[in-house]
Amino acid sequence: MGAFVRLKIKLYAKDNKIIPYNYQYQFSSALYLLLKFGSKEFSEFLHNQGYKLNGKPYKLFSFAVQFEQFTSQKNYITLESPYLYLYVSSPIVDEFIKNFVIGTFERTFFYFSSGGNEIKFLINNMELLPQPDFETETKFKLLSPLVLSTVKEYNGKLSPYYLRPEDKVDINRILTNNLLNKYELVNNRKTDGKVELEWDENYLRKHPRITKKVTINEHGRNPVDVVGLVAPFKLKGDKELMKIGYECGFGEKNSMGFGMAEVIHTRQ
């Protein structure tokens, strides 16, 4: 499908420099809007249906936002520099990447608002990032929190349980199954590969808490709290599954801004 599956977009925040702490929903909506300017039909298909396997939809893209310079308060982020970087990734090059690039040329800015606060982002420039190499042991740094969940009974009701670092068996099982499904959708065939995740122990010693709670659609009718993990990790196993995770995002809710990671190059 081609080597360039990831975009790095430099944004300029015009006038207002206050961004909500829970910004994922707004940026996800902006991505669909920009994609719509490239192809209305594809944007609506992806938003409303997605690619389905066993009845479960997958959007097969992820994104992350990195701020150049900022301070963080309880409910909002203040941009000390007006520049920020939006990373967008998908293996669906012909439909997603190309239409998204077309959309950014058609519309070189976007707005979003949250809690009455409106901000305009200008698209300053864009670059295609080359695909990294993957080894049978590859180190990753998360650009957005990794979300993995299962269902557990709580007070007699089944509720989502978001995995913590100590849930090693469930992490590897659920992460691998998620990647196997994405692989099958992207390549139209199955594989029996697997991966095993190991957290960066030095990072864990310095950062006892690596969980991060994020509220999706905070000011909407149905806000949802999710808990993600934010530590560097190493994957052992199938390189093709690592590649799929890099392209689509690792774990769940990738299209809402979770699970994007970059490869940490050790030979420098």
Side-chain angles (χ1 to χ4, degrees), residues 1-2 4-5 7 34-35 37-39 42 90-106 126 128:
M1 287 189 175
F4 295 103
V5 300
L7 302 168
L34 291 171
L35 189 60
F37 281 93
S39 171
F42 179 70
S90 175
I92 314 299
V93 174
D94 288 339
E95 291 86 3
F96 187 95
I97 296 295
K98 288 183 180 178
N99 282 318
F100 187 82
V101 171
I102 292 169
T104 59
F105 281 111
E106 289 290 326
M126 179 190 305
L128 290 162

Side-chain angles (χ1 to χ4, degrees), residues 17-152:
K17 303 299 187 294
I18 305 297
I19 293 178
Y21 178 80
N22 297 301
Y23 56 77
Q24 283 82 359
Y25 179 82
Q26 289 85 353
F27 272 101
S28 180
S29 297
L31 292 185
Y32 281 112
L33 176 63
L34 291 171
L35 189 60
K36 190 174 181 178
F37 281 93
S39 171
K40 179 181 178 181
E41 294 76 17
F42 179 70
S43 179
E44 290 179 351
F45 157 76
L46 199 60
H47 183 269
N48 297 328
Q49 299 179 52
Y51 300 90
K52 291 186 179 180
L53 185 66
N54 300 323
K56 181 176 175 59
Y58 294 83
K59 303 305 174 75
L60 301 182
F61 79 89
S62 65
F63 73 89
V65 179
Q66 300 284 293
F67 304 104
E68 192 170 80
Q69 196 172 346
F70 71 100
T71 55
S72 181
Q73 286 74 33
K74 183 178 180 181
N75 296 317
Y76 60 90
I77 292 167
T78 301
L79 300 180
E80 304 296 340
S81 164
Y83 292 103
L84 58 157
Y85 298 90
L86 174 64
Y87 293 84
V88 183
S89 180
S90 175
I92 314 299
V93 174
D94 288 339
E95 291 86 3
F96 187 95
I97 296 295
K98 288 183 180 178
N99 282 318
F100 187 82
V101 171
I102 292 169
T104 59
F105 281 111
E106 289 290 326
R107 185 181 175 99
T108 58
F109 65 91
F110 62 88
Y111 291 92
F112 76 55
S113 61
S114 176
N117 177 43
E118 186 172 80
I119 186 166
K120 181 178 183 180
F121 296 95
L122 305 178
I123 298 173
N124 194 277
N125 62 45
M126 179 190 305
E127 61 178 305
L128 290 162
L129 301 180
Q131 182 101 301
D133 294 324
F134 301 94
E135 307 295 337
T136 52
E137 289 191 13
T138 302
K139 293 182 179 179
F140 292 90
K141 173 187 175 183
L142 284 164
L143 300 178
S144 57
L146 170 64
V147 176
L148 294 164
S149 70
T150 186
V151 176
K152 289 192 176 183

